[in-house]
Amino acid sequence: MAGNGERPERRVRGFAARAGGWSARHRWAAVGIWVLFVVVAMGLGSVAGRVDVSEDDQLKGETSQAAQIIDDAGVDEPAGETVLVQSKNGALRATAPEFRAAVADVVRAVEGTGEVTAVRSPYAADTRTVSKDGRTALVQFDMRGDPDTAADRVEPVQKAVAGVAGDHDALRIEEIGAASMNKTFDDAFGDDFQKAEYSAVPVALGILLIAFGALVAALLPVALAVTAIMATMGLMGLVSHLQPMSETANSVMLLVGLAVGVDYCLFYLRREREERMKGHDPQTALRVAAATSGRAIIVSGVTVCVAMAGMLFTGLAEFQAMGLASLMVVAVAMVGSVTVLPALLSLLGHRVEKGRIPFLHPAKRRNGGNGEAGSGSRLWSRVLTVVLARPAVSVAVAVVALLAIAAPALGMKTQNLTLDQEFGDSLPIVATYDQVNAAFPGGSDPAEVVVKADDINAADVRSALADFRAQAVSSGASRGPVEVTVHRDENVAIVDVPLVGGSDQDKAEKSLALLRDEVRPDTFGRVGGVEAPITGQVAGSKDFNDQIVGSVVPVFAFVIAFAFLLMLLSFRSLTVAITSIVLNLLSVGAAYGILVAVFQHGWGASLVGAEGVGAIITWLPLFLFVILFGLSMDYHVFVVSRIKEARVQGRTNLDAIRHGVVTTAGVVTSAAVIMVAVFGIFGTLSMQSMKQMGVGLAAAILIDATVIRGVLLPAVMALLGERNWYLPKWLRRMPDLTHDEAGIEPAPVPREGGEEVRV
């Protein structure tokens, strides 16, 4: 069979090549199975419904313990609301007739809505809600009904309070509380989030139109990403019954799904197009794309999934939901890229170039038709000429630059952002929050001590409650008033303690430490059978920060170890595995440095509307590490796979590096521009935490696609030479997951004298 001059047939090795071949032969079946999968996943998810993360699941430790006690006891904590009544110019005191009249009007107005209960006037004998200077008073009440839905019913109360405010010009009369804040934020930022999410798809499509210059080719990646996201939304509903999900997980899933879905399709489609531009028929081009880009997608997808799985080690329900949702959408997009995409390309053939856009299609732009030209390739060819001529200098300059960018990260300060840090002065309710905290330090976010005893009415328990109330003030942790609510039938008491420090997180945490480490042991610690976990906004922030810090080492170790192992198995090179990890860590470090410089130190903060934040939100560093480590592998695997492919085909080391970087420059640039644009949209939101996430992701992807993959990677590989492919003898028994050469067409290799041969 081989004697007639034909190449012997070899069984194609690897899931991607086999899946692509099957899909190309059974085109309609592959498309039908994918559509059926998406429809069934969405249908089952809709029927099952989605279980969201509850407050009990949010954190471990005292915060979770307190929530569990309240939940087990069946104690309903209503949504509390407060109306601030304050003299605008300081002339009116709470004893003035006009001030008293305003308070009485507020009480009548809120009671008249029928939506509130337990209205408490600051003049009642058992309340202490007039400030020390006598110029501020608080009217407090609870919303009727389910506290989780109180935001849906608070609007009539807000209107009633606004009406009273209009009748008393000398006074500031404003409402604040859990329900009113939730409604304000939902109104202000709910549409903001939706616009950001919905605008991501048109932005990606516009960039793809520029990249491909053809409407059909540009639509395919978007279609794959959108269907992968739709299927994953259905799967999230099913999985949520085992691991609760959340709206945050849904937004992260959409971001990651759009990024990897477009990227994977882009990688595959560009390789298939490149092979057709060389003169191959569509089926041969598809076979080469399946064996090369298809495999790179599998390696990259598995690596990203492993990185996302790192979030499961945090022990934080919100992170676990984000990690699982991201993992699922990456897996779905990866499978779709190597199954339904080859089927669609086989069906379309040359028609994938339909809808050509004048002056943008590569047929109008390319130079020589070898797939390596184009404006992006010419640019990177010039860059590589300099880099490969002096690789040592290039490595030194790039590393020094990245370390300089990363340097500010050494002083990173993380905390849960306070209300004024998160929203600045963009919302009037933030000013109300500041006024309440100024007049009653810690009053807006008091610590909450949940006391559970065998008999809450026992004399020793009542004595401990009284002692705790007194020592909370005498210790300096609180200036009062310390309010105790006893639920006798449930043997539970709830103690609200305004913390000294108020909205100053550092000072408030010191007050919290006094309560937990000194006041509580001296009071409740002397009574047997009493639990007294301390929760609240400050406690929750502290516990969350501690748990995040505690999970950094296991998450980093898991992600790095498994990424290293996957690179080792996929390229059978110890050198490639090590350099992959080092380069990705440099990329992540640079992203951290930019975050700290902009949002903590304020360097250039005005450009993104982030003045005065002063800290990085607690969850972001770990989240960025996992997301960036995964997404960076997309580019790394794709570029290194192309370099190794060229090396296997007989090119010299430098020529293989040049070929690999130049031929992937267009697709990496397009993918990076899409990611930067999509993440940049989230950097325009008003919430500072979303700005930090968007700017951090966009900056890291930009650095990774340019400095890392365009300069540092080729320079390092040029210096290493043949050592790039070093594998110790004792590791050679590992499974062979390297490139399958059966589906790769031989490439022209330059020889002396200008002649080209195919190997």
Side-chain angles (χ1 to χ4, degrees), residues 105-174:
D105 288 347
V106 169
V107 171
R108 280 194 299 271
V110 298
E111 286 180 334
T113 64
E115 297 287 350
V116 308
T117 184
V119 181
R120 301 177 292 283
S121 168
Y123 302 119
D126 58 344
T127 60
R128 296 170 58 191
T129 54
V130 175
S131 64
K132 288 185 177 180
D133 65 5
R135 292 177 173 82
T136 305
L138 304 179
V139 178
Q140 297 176 319
F141 53 89
D142 299 326
M143 294 295 299
R144 292 185 185 275
D146 186 353
D148 292 336
T149 59
D152 300 331
R153 304 186 304 277
V154 77
E155 187 173 1
V157 184
Q158 290 177 311
K159 289 182 176 179
V161 171
V164 175
D167 296 335
H168 298 274
D169 294 336
L171 295 169
R172 178 195 296 270
I173 301 176
E174 297 166 351

Side-chain angles (χ1 to χ4, degrees), residues 422-644:
E422 182 74 270
F423 299 104
D425 56 1
S426 61
L427 295 176
I429 203 167
V430 175
T432 307
Y433 173 86
D434 290 337
Q435 292 293 335
V436 172
N437 265 313
F440 304 90
S444 294
D445 296 305
E448 187 177 85
V449 188
V450 180
V451 183
K452 178 177 173 57
D454 295 331
D455 182 5
I456 201 72
N457 298 309
D460 55 351
V461 177
R462 285 189 282 110
S463 175
L465 280 168
D467 289 345
F468 182 91
R469 187 176 185 181
Q471 287 190 35
V473 175
S474 63
S475 68
S478 175
R479 297 193 183 98
V482 179
E483 297 182 354
V484 180
T485 304
V486 178
H487 301 271
R488 288 182 169 79
D489 293 339
E490 293 82 7
N491 287 315
V492 170
I494 297 175
V495 185
D496 288 328
V497 186
L499 295 173
V500 169
S503 58
D504 186 322
Q505 193 79 14
D506 292 336
K507 291 181 180 178
E509 284 187 7
K510 290 178 182 178
S511 301
L512 174 69
L514 277 175
L515 290 182
R516 284 181 167 178
D517 301 337
E518 296 182 17
V519 178
R520 179 173 57 184
D522 288 347
T523 54
F524 297 119
R526 298 198 300 265
V527 182
V530 172
E531 297 177 66
I534 301 178
T535 185
Q537 189 274 329
V538 176
S541 174
K542 176 69 166 57
D543 292 347
F544 184 86
N545 200 36
D546 289 347
Q547 196 162 340
I548 282 285
V549 171
S551 64
V552 165
V553 172
V555 171
F556 274 50
F558 172 82
V559 173
I560 291 173
F562 272 82
F564 174 84
L565 182 61
L566 284 170
M567 291 296 100
L568 189 62
L569 291 172
S570 301
F571 292 100
R572 290 185 69 80
S573 166
L574 184 62
T575 309
V576 168
I578 292 173
T579 55
S580 300
I581 301 302
V582 173
L583 294 181
N584 276 10
L585 289 176
L586 278 172
S587 179
V588 172
Y592 284 173
I594 290 172
L595 272 178
V596 172
V598 174
F599 293 96
Q600 188 172 316
H601 299 316
W603 303 341
S606 59
L607 299 176
V608 293
E611 298 90 342
V613 178
I616 307 302
I617 192 164
T618 303
W619 54 266
L620 190 58
L622 190 61
F623 174 82
L624 277 183
F625 170 78
V626 172
I627 296 290
L628 293 176
F629 209 90
L631 295 181
S632 294
M633 280 298 181
D634 273 1
Y635 305 147
H636 192 83
V637 170
F638 194 61
V639 176
V640 176
S641 293
R642 200 61 185 271
I643 292 172
K644 183 167 187 181

Side-chain angles (χ1 to χ4, degrees), residues 50-60 63-68 71-72 148 240 242-247 315-321 544:
R50 195 179 78 185
V51 178
D52 281 349
V53 174
S54 66
E55 185 178 350
D56 295 1
D57 299 326
Q58 288 283 5
L59 285 172
K60 308 299 180 186
T63 304
S64 176
Q65 183 186 357
Q68 193 63 53
D71 189 51
D72 291 344
D148 292 336
S240 69
L242 300 174
Q243 166 61 57
M245 292 292 163
S246 68
E247 285 301 321
L316 296 164
E318 192 73 61
F319 262 65
Q320 291 172 329
F544 184 86

